[in-house]
Amino acid sequence: MSGFIDKIQNSTITRRNFLKGSAATVTALGLAGCGSENKLSSVSSAKSVDAENGKWISAACWHNCGGRCVNKALVVDGVVIRQKTDDTHEDSPDFPQQRGCLRGRSQRQQVFGADRLKYPMKRKHWKPGGGDKSLRGKDEWERISWDEALTYIADELKRVKKEYGNRSILHIGGWSSRITDISRTLGLFGGYCEYWNTNSFGSWAMTPKTVGFWQLDAWDQTVNDRFDLRNCDTIIMLGMNPAWSAMGSSSWHYLQAKKAGAKFIGIDPFYNDTYALLEADWIPVRPSTDTALLLAVAYVLITEDDPVHKPLIDWDFLKRCTIGFDAGSMPEGEDPKGNFKDYVLGTYDGQPKTPEWASEICGVESSKIHELALAFGKTNKVAFLCGMASARTKNSDNLPQLIMTIGAMTGHMGKSGHMTGSTLHATSGNGGPALVKAGSNGLPPIPNPVDDAINAGEVWNAILEGKYTFTGSGDFTSPDQYQPGEEREIDIRVIYHSGGATLQTSDGMTKGIEAHRKVDLVVSHAQFLTTNAKYSDIVLPVTTEWEKKYGGFLGGGLVHTGNREMLIMYSQVTEPLYEAKDDQWIARELAKKLGIDEKEVYPFDEKQQFFNTLASIQVVNEDGKTYGPLVTITQEDINKWGVEGTPQTGKITYEELKEKGVYQVKRFQGDNYGYIAFEDFVKDPEKHPVSSESGKLEIYSRKLADTINKMGFSKIKPIPAYIKVTDGYEDTFEDWETKVKGEYPYQVINPHYLRRSHSVFDNVKWLQEAWPNPVFINSKDAERHGIQDGDTVLLTSAYGKILRRALVTERFMPGVIGLPHGAWVDMDEKTGIDRGGADNILTGQVPTGQGVSGFNTCIVKMEKYDGTPLIPDVEKPQRIIF
């Protein structure tokens, strides 16, 4: 490395100083972390050095943002000095480049950050059995060896197993306990208690498949592909902001639809960047009130439909493709009075779901609701697209069913220019089956002998109170997860975080911190002192994807997918930094300490796993229906790599894929890769039934209601019906009838934010400077409290308190506060106030329905803070240990 620096400016820098220097975020020549003493005058000479000595390497951008785009690093003498994104072909609307965003482009600031954890660490006052547990989160750290760390962990696991049993070991691996490497070791050790969560999906996790709103074995494949978006007249977006939360080309695809003539309508408490880009007609709606709004839309459609003069409803579609809309279409054995139409009209409950009724709840003017309903009319070519934020709310289990119902009433399914459904970040704006299918590493699964699985909405209470509601397997994608509730006693003694940011991103963080201070041992795998790591006893430093030679993201080798049209392959950029180890190494070495044969954990090595992944990648053929191998592999390749396998002929060689870093299926208008969701079903429902018990779209679903009601968290009806939401708008009032506001008069939502991918990157100074993470406050609300831009604001809920600097805006509707999702907690132990603005400090442990995490259902009081003002996040010191 010194050779490179010498060529530029005759100075020398060591890897240690290079990494240490990143704390200053001085970035001469793009060097992540050069110290401030380096001369900044030689940028031009760096270019010639780049060309002479540098090498562009396809680098990972593996985070859960929906993009996972092309990311390339220019490496000189082992140092990343620059990054770029996709330049493998010319960019065009039909064949877009897979361009990275600001987060991916700052990846080197993360990988080489001065705050990388360097060595295994132990909390100073921890000892077997827990030591002084109250010091978790504020104790000093001691450097220990890998052997010491793994011995401590193994000895405690053995003790706890002997004294309390395997179910006292809670393993948390991010959104699933089963997908991490440590789950293999713990499974062979006798098992562990699992953690489960509906995650980003909210009530889209279980409801769609049950009611038939499901295609291609997924909840987010109910919309047509990107080319068909351009055939729509109107695109109605409910709670969507792909410009912030769906990286890659999603917003680009919507922009092409706008250029083709589509009008956009945005239904949201927040006039976000997506709506601004698309010049959408904004309909401000209060959080967690979408059900009331859409019931009123249904009311207008029903009462104003005239099949001859004003055809709004597609009666043929309802008759052929649905059950439960009216009394004549109710399932056999059910009370005809329970149908959806009579509920909307108030025939039996005496409450018509009129626009005026809905307006009082949702905040949308009744005339605007009427206008929206007419926009849905069956003769219009409409796409009704829904993000999942509106379903990450309490008591929202019927919402996906209601969205389906509106689409079915108006016939916006199964044909070109018409679509209804949800979009997850990677599929936003481009539905359809994957044209490139990621391969598998071929490792056999290791079952978990313990069947305990605790929902995120009560996991911290379960640790503190010793009981929880068991509802099934721990896999939110499986029907086995949603079983009748059974109260069980539980005594958690170990929390093992092998991945993710669960303490940060689960409901009720205040309770979570308390729970972490109760158990005997907390272990975290981490790259930085994240919230999980901060409240741990033993922290194991793990490698990033840039440091791995064969192992990779979710065990998939150095390969991952993003949108349906491409696959990314990345390479090792740098050797592991300091003493960081990869997760498979940790799993193997811990297994040895536990007396488990490492060959039982991994029957073959990471090189063979990578080969298996590579060889099993599939790509669509030109017919658009069949698939074949993507990668050409020769016997010479197999011999060179020293693996077992069979030669195959694909579309691209391994070396070419490695060099490019991406394989993308070239699209064009009229190709064979288009997709119309529900097309076969709509043409012949009997021949092509959907996933519900009846094979039709179930506007009335006895199974949905029975399943959720028996789980025991809260109750719903078989039809989409309005339910008063726990911690929702009505709870902002002390007295709803007289409209007297209560202690917590404001609602809070947690938009995804460009500074982070969930919580990842929150420590990167570049991004902190660019995106300061304020609290967004409507100007009228700010004026009421004497708050101006930059003022420190205190938000208080029934569960916790946070501080943030204010950004006063008209882009949030009155009564609604925007607190960006994912900020790392920074707790003031004296006051109990979080200075970091962590959203889940304000939420509570309140599971509802199918176990939905109600991140966007939160009520608070707001006041101008009279204590010491917050400094900008970028001015805070990094969490540098050793």
Side-chain angles (χ1 to χ4, degrees), residues 315 318 323-331 336 339-342 699:
W315 293 102
L318 287 173
I323 62 170
F325 176 74
D326 54 21
S329 62
M330 286 290 284
N339 71 83
F340 178 75
K341 179 182 176 183
D342 279 320
I699 297 172

Side-chain angles (χ1 to χ4, degrees), residues 11 49 164 168 179 191 217 253 307 584 589 603 643 715 775 782:
S11 64
V49 174
Y164 305 103
S168 66
I179 63 173
D217 202 29
H253 299 327
Q584 287 202 16
E589 294 303 312
V643 296
K715 302 285 188 181
V775 58

